[in-house]
Amino acid sequence: MSAPAGHAHGPYTLYDLDALPEDGRRYELADGWLTELPGDLWHDHAAGRLTDILRQAAHQAGAEVHVAGSARDVSTPAGIRKPDVFAVARDVARAALEQRSRTYYGPDLLLVAEVVTPRTGSEQIDRVRKVAEYAETGIPHYWIVDLEPRPAVTMLRLAGSQPCYRLSGKARAGEEITVAEPFPIRFDPARLSEME
């Protein structure tokens, strides 16, 4: 990773994040440090499949939501995250588009999903750090997607007066996810690794 000019060793700011070259790499900013997000074809394929599945579920339910991939930033207490998949109310997405804002604020999100890339530094961030961050931010639903050995989805939901998640369900390939919130969603995690 190349460091932005003037800040060879951090801490970095949102301006430094914005100044990074458009070279296909993705970065998050947390506690003043830039972290390159790993990505591979399998990860990106699963994130794309989940985005499509959630969009289709929202459409079938007539839900007033917008489902998107990692092209947008999410502001958290630690900095800027780029979730693999997220859902916001349609009016929030429309306002962001009209204001030409690329950043959503945590409380605006209905659901965030991260596809875990095993054996990387981001695995610990997705499983531990973001659980606390996203809860503190007030995002009601956080899904952790594992692809190995077969696709599985762990669903966490905010519970109680303290900002913390509780396990609301888990489904592996061959089982079916059926949830009513944030909108009706039903699918087998095996679909995340299928090719069309």
Side-chain angles (χ1 to χ4, degrees):
M1 175 178 81
S2 61
H7 298 283
H9 302 290
Y12 301 103
T13 68
L14 183 57
Y15 299 109
D16 296 315
L17 180 64
D18 288 342
L20 290 172
E22 294 289 331
D23 59 2
R25 296 177 178 180
R26 297 181 310 135
Y27 296 89
E28 291 182 328
L29 174 67
D31 300 323
W33 299 103
L34 293 170
T35 305
E36 184 174 352
L37 298 175
D40 58 32
L41 292 176
W42 198 21
H43 169 280
D44 296 347
H45 175 76
R49 293 285 292 153
L50 182 57
T51 301
D52 293 343
I53 288 166
L54 295 180
R55 281 183 181 154
Q56 183 179 29
H59 177 74
Q60 288 175 345
E64 291 289 318
V65 300
H66 172 69
V67 177
S70 61
R72 296 296 184 108
D73 297 341
V74 173
S75 177
T76 73
I80 299 294
R81 296 296 188 185
K82 295 179 185 289
D84 292 318
V85 183
F86 65 91
V88 295
R90 191 170 291 148
D91 61 336
V92 170
R94 188 175 297 114
L97 183 64
E98 289 169 357
Q99 296 166 9
R100 295 187 175 139
S101 172
R102 71 163 206 235
T103 303
Y104 287 103
Y105 296 93
D108 292 336
L109 278 75
L110 304 171
L111 177 141
V112 169
E114 297 285 4
V115 179
V116 173
T117 304
R119 298 169 298 283
T120 66
S122 74
E123 179 176 16
Q124 187 270 345
I125 292 170
D126 290 345
R127 293 188 192 284
V128 179
R129 178 89 190 259
K130 287 183 180 178
V131 171
E133 263 183 62
Y134 289 160
E136 186 179 346
T137 303
I139 300 169
H141 301 274
Y142 178 34
W143 290 8
I144 300 171
V145 178
D146 287 291
L147 299 176
E148 294 181 11
R150 302 223 27 235
V153 179
T154 301
M155 295 159 283
L156 304 173
R157 181 179 178 170
L158 279 181
S161 59
Q162 297 297 320
C164 64
Y165 286 117
R166 300 278 186 254
L167 181 67
S168 62
K170 184 165 184 165
R172 293 173 176 81
E175 301 171 346
E176 190 168 75
I177 291 172
T178 304
V179 298
E181 293 180 348
F183 50 90
I185 304 166
R186 186 179 194 167
F187 72 99
D188 180 336
R191 290 179 58 194
L192 299 176
S193 62
E194 291 175 352
M195 302 300 286
E196 290 187 338

